[in-house]
Amino acid sequence: MRFDIDSYSEILETITRNKVRSFLTGFGIFWGLFMLLFMMGVGDGVRTLLYKQLDGFATNTAIAVSNNTSLPYKGMKEGRYWSMEMKDVERLALMIPELDVVTPVVSVYDSKAYKGEYSAQGSVKGVLPEYSRIEAPKLKYGRYINRVDIDYKRKVCVIGKKIYRELFPDGGDPCGQFIKVGPVYYRIVGVDFNQGNVSINGSADRTITIPLTLAQQLYNRGDVIDLLCMTAKASVKISDVEEGIRSIMARAHDFDESDKDALMIINTQQLFMLVENIFKGVNFLIWLIGLGTLLAGAIGVSNIMMVTVRERTTEIGIRRAIGATPRNILTQILSESMLLTLVSGMISIVISVLFLAIASIIASQVAEPVSLQISFRMAMLSLLILTVMGLLSGLAPALRAMEIKPVDAMRDE
């Protein structure tokens, strides 16, 4: 459609002449789009914040934990406790080729670290280098545990962010310095700034990570391990190999493979899928509410434009009598409808961004820093939806205006 300056002047004059009606028409569109954009911005911000808590943790992980049996087996009573051992690592890696990583963990809780006059509460975790593929570290300084540390049982450690800040309040690179945990002195080789709150056996920022072989020796664990962490290969779901893991472990340690309590397997893939499905449902609900409100506003625009056309019957008839074509009438009515919706929509986008910025500041002061905002793509999509709704809501009144004949308009007058 092509418009000239005179056409725009007529449209603006008509809208200005009906200020109250135009306001009521635009408010429905404004409120509907504001609700949609504000809820989408909050939803995306919460989703980003939640995934920040899950940051660094592999999404296709299974964590196996031994526990008391709840079923009798081969003459042995229920309630028997058993322990996983280092042989289970090799056993699962060989017998389940779908597994990508199988790595053990030894943990010691409520450990206190000292550096001069400073102290920090945390937990000690003995791991192999492969554990970094389960819970990826974000090293601010230094390196992670390596194979040489494992082979020679080096007294080295990687400390979490909070432990680092409490032991080294002045900051700086602590690598090469020593801290004391219990009776043992460890040389710091790395500082992990992982922000995620999903961690195995304690928060990552309060963990002192040491070589697994050293942990087994210092804490008299022998071949006993606390946890087995596993990831599946890219094309395999961890749930597909869960029963195989349980069957192999049951045969090796003499418990009933149907005994879910004897071997607890935490499937983090299901957790991540649950979170993703929840947000998909929330987004669908937001779109449903927002589009429903927008549709109600578009119907309001159509009804008010229909009233406007009825009131302007004489004007339209005169314009037809002096040479205006049906196309001219159609263009003006559609232009008025689209202009109302687009102006309301752009104001709504600006107000939504402003409110989201205020909400971000308030949320960041009350809880963790969070960014609530709408993307440029979302804003453009909103304008496209408004253009289509403005076009459709003005179509019926425009067709009604095209049917007005000059003779009928003069008779009504």
Side-chain angles (χ1 to χ4, degrees):
M1 292 181 288
R2 297 176 60 187
F3 310 109
D4 53 28
I5 295 178
D6 293 337
S7 298
Y8 280 118
S9 300
E10 292 174 3
I11 293 169
L12 293 174
E13 182 182 351
T14 302
I15 293 176
T16 304
R17 194 167 54 237
N18 298 277
K19 292 181 179 179
V20 175
R21 187 176 296 163
S22 299
F23 172 78
L24 294 175
T25 303
F27 183 76
I29 297 294
F30 165 82
W31 181 246
L33 186 60
F34 174 79
M35 286 183 61
L36 175 62
L37 294 179
F38 186 79
M39 289 189 295
M40 286 294 292
V42 171
D44 288 345
V46 172
R47 179 178 182 177
T48 301
L49 183 61
L50 179 58
Y51 274 98
K52 184 179 178 181
Q53 308 305 311
L54 305 175
D55 188 31
F57 201 87
T59 58
N60 61 336
T61 303
I63 305 167
V65 185
S66 60
N67 197 11
N68 293 331
T69 61
S70 60
L71 297 174
Y73 184 74
K74 292 183 178 180
M76 293 178 285
K77 294 182 179 180
E78 68 275 11
R80 177 176 56 90
Y81 185 78
W82 64 280
S83 298
M84 292 184 292
E85 56 191 14
M86 288 297 294
K87 290 181 181 178
D88 294 324
V89 177
E90 184 179 358
R91 186 178 288 125
L92 291 176
L94 289 175
M95 300 184 71
I96 305 181
E98 293 85 357
L99 291 176
D100 186 29
V101 175
V102 182
T103 186
V105 176
V106 170
S107 297
V108 180
Y109 302 100
D110 297 326
S111 299
K112 203 161 189 177
Y114 297 89
K115 174 61 179 176
E117 61 182 359
Y118 302 107
S119 64
Q121 192 71 32
S123 60
V124 176
K125 182 186 295 181
V127 301
L128 296 177
E130 291 78 13
Y131 183 77
S132 61
R133 297 173 62 184
I134 302 290
E135 190 177 354
K138 291 188 176 179
L139 296 173
K140 176 72 172 180
Y141 300 107
R143 61 171 177 84
Y144 199 63
I145 302 298
N146 61 31
R147 182 53 58 181
V148 178
D149 299 329
I150 299 296
D151 294 340
Y152 290 94
K153 300 179 183 179
R154 285 177 171 174
K155 294 179 181 178
V156 296
C157 69
V158 176
I159 59 176
K161 180 177 67 174
K162 289 185 178 179
I163 291 180
Y164 162 72
R165 289 180 173 173
E166 291 177 9
L167 296 183
F168 300 91
D170 296 331
D173 186 354
C175 293
Q177 299 191 49
F178 289 84
I179 61 172
K180 182 182 178 183
V181 183
V184 182
Y185 284 88
Y186 297 91
R187 183 166 58 88
I188 300 173
V189 295
V191 179
D192 183 8
F193 264 45
N194 190 346
Q195 297 281 355
N197 284 333
V198 176
S199 182
I200 298 173
N201 282 12
S203 176
D205 53 14
R206 286 206 172 272
T207 298
I208 303 165
T209 305
I210 65 175
L212 176 71
T213 50
L214 178 65
Q216 290 174 319
Q217 182 185 62
L218 291 177
Y219 298 104
N220 298 317
R221 294 299 184 89
D223 283 338
V224 174
I225 57 177
D226 295 326
L227 301 174
L228 266 177
C229 303
M230 297 156 279
T231 61
K233 293 180 179 178
S235 59
V236 180
K237 293 182 179 179
I238 199 69
S239 54
D240 294 338
V241 298
E242 187 174 327
E243 289 304 317
I245 295 171
R246 191 178 299 279
S247 178
I248 292 170
M249 296 294 285
R251 290 197 304 268
H253 295 278
D254 293 324
F255 64 86
D256 194 326
E257 64 180 86
S258 63
D259 190 351
K260 304 293 184 180
D261 293 333
L263 179 65
M264 295 186 296
I265 299 179
I266 303 170
N267 189 340
T268 61
Q269 188 177 41
Q270 293 179 345
L271 173 63
F272 280 90
M273 290 178 62
L274 176 63
V275 172
E276 186 66 26
N277 289 335
I278 288 175
F279 276 103
K280 285 181 180 179
V282 170
N283 284 340
F284 175 76
L285 184 62
I286 290 173
W287 275 102
L288 188 64
I289 295 174
L291 290 179
T293 310
L294 278 176
L295 182 60
I299 293 174
V301 171
S302 181
N303 290 336
I304 292 178
M305 291 298 297
M306 192 70 76
V307 173
T308 302
V309 167
R310 189 177 297 114
E311 291 179 350
R312 294 165 59 191
T313 298
T314 302
E315 174 194 335
I316 294 172
I318 293 174
R319 292 191 63 194
R320 291 291 306 276
I322 61 177
T325 64
R327 181 185 178 88
N328 296 139
I329 304 300
L330 176 69
T331 298
Q332 179 164 354
I333 301 301
L334 290 179
S335 300
E336 291 177 15
S337 174
M338 292 174 62
L339 185 61
L340 277 173
T341 54
L342 286 175
V343 170
S344 302
M346 286 186 286
I347 295 174
S348 181
I349 291 174
V350 173
I351 299 298
S352 299
V353 171
L354 179 62
F355 271 69
L356 286 171
I358 295 173
S360 296
I361 296 173
I362 295 174
S364 298
Q365 292 178 346
V366 174
E368 294 189 28
V370 59
S371 177
L372 306 179
Q373 59 184 358
I374 58 174
S375 64
F376 178 78
R377 178 182 177 184
M378 182 64 191
M380 292 299 100
L381 179 61
S382 302
L383 289 179
L384 178 61
I385 293 174
L386 285 176
T387 303
V388 174
M389 282 192 169
L391 185 63
L392 294 178
S393 60
L395 189 59
L399 294 176
R400 170 72 179 82
M402 288 176 59
E403 295 176 355
I404 297 176
K405 298 179 179 179
V407 176
D408 296 333
M410 298 302 181
R411 187 181 299 117
D412 290 342
E413 182 63 21

